[in-house]
Amino acid sequence: SQTIHQWPATLVQPVGSPLSLECTVEGTSNPNLYWYRQAAGRGLQLLFYSVGIGQISSEVPQNLSASRPQDRQFILSSKKLLLSDSGFYLCAWSVGRRVGYEQYFGPGTRLTVT
Amino acid sequence: GEDVEQSLFLSVREGDSSVINCTYTDSSSTYLYWYKQEPGAGLQLLTYIFSNMDMKQDQRLTVLLNKKDKHLSLRIADTQTGDSAIYFCAEAETGRRALTFGSGTRLQVQP
């Protein structure tokens, strides 16, 4: 069966500090991977998606970047955090030719920028 | 552009049925989903319906789709306190690489 891991679970970082959040998927090959942000318990905003190693698409301009160094690893980064980067970050995966079909989510990372 | 809307809050008594509603705007939607999010956790896929279906039932869950009105609903029969959570509807469009989520409906189940 497939599982998705995210770490850390919670993070408190000062403004201007760097960020690295990691997501890994087990039990599947060549998944589509996604980073979402959920602000204040509201809806989800898609930040990045990837259909393969080194292939990253950005949905919205922002202070964040993403990388996919391995097939089942997706990393969300920032060089300098802003207060507005606080939120709940969710990684998700899907498989199949139809991208976006049946996404499965990780447990999330709660980021507080102080 | 695509837009998915949900009411913010629903309160029901334990044992009653809950109906959570969702409207979407994009007629090219292929699949529509319901996800459940418990406090501090990720989203759990509950069920989905293909756009050429009107209804799908899965144990206590019934999904109704009115494609003409672009209206989707999730009915939870015999609602339990463990059903208290935020419920998100989401749509997938042909060729789009991600889901578009509604803002979520917080379901509160009173004992």
Side-chain angles (χ1 to χ4, degrees), chain A residues 34 42 49 98 100 103, chain B residues 8 31 35 37 96-97 99:
Chain A
Y34 310 83
R42 302 313 302 158
Y49 67 87
R98 183 174 297 164
Q103 291 181 20
Chain B
L8 295 180
Y31 286 87
Y35 282 86
Q37 185 181 34
R96 189 163 187 267
R97 296 183 179 276
L99 304 182

Side-chain angles (χ1 to χ4, degrees), chain A residues 76-95:
Chain A
L76 184 69
S77 304
S78 174
K79 291 181 180 177
K80 288 186 179 181
L81 283 168
L82 306 172
L83 285 174
S84 58
D85 291 324
S86 292
F88 192 48
Y89 288 82
L90 289 158
C91 180
W93 67 273
S94 71
V95 292

Side-chain angles (χ1 to χ4, degrees), chain A residues 44-88:
Chain A
L44 278 70
Q45 178 187 34
L46 177 66
L47 302 176
F48 301 95
Y49 67 87
S50 170
V51 299
I53 294 174
Q55 300 178 61
I56 309 294
S57 296
S58 175
E59 285 285 301
V60 294
Q62 58 207 310
N63 185 43
L64 303 168
S65 62
S67 61
R68 184 169 177 174
Q70 300 180 45
D71 181 44
R72 288 169 288 180
Q73 184 185 30
F74 205 22
I75 297 172
L76 184 69
S77 304
S78 174
K79 291 181 180 177
K80 288 186 179 181
L81 283 168
L82 306 172
L83 285 174
S84 58
D85 291 324
S86 292
F88 192 48

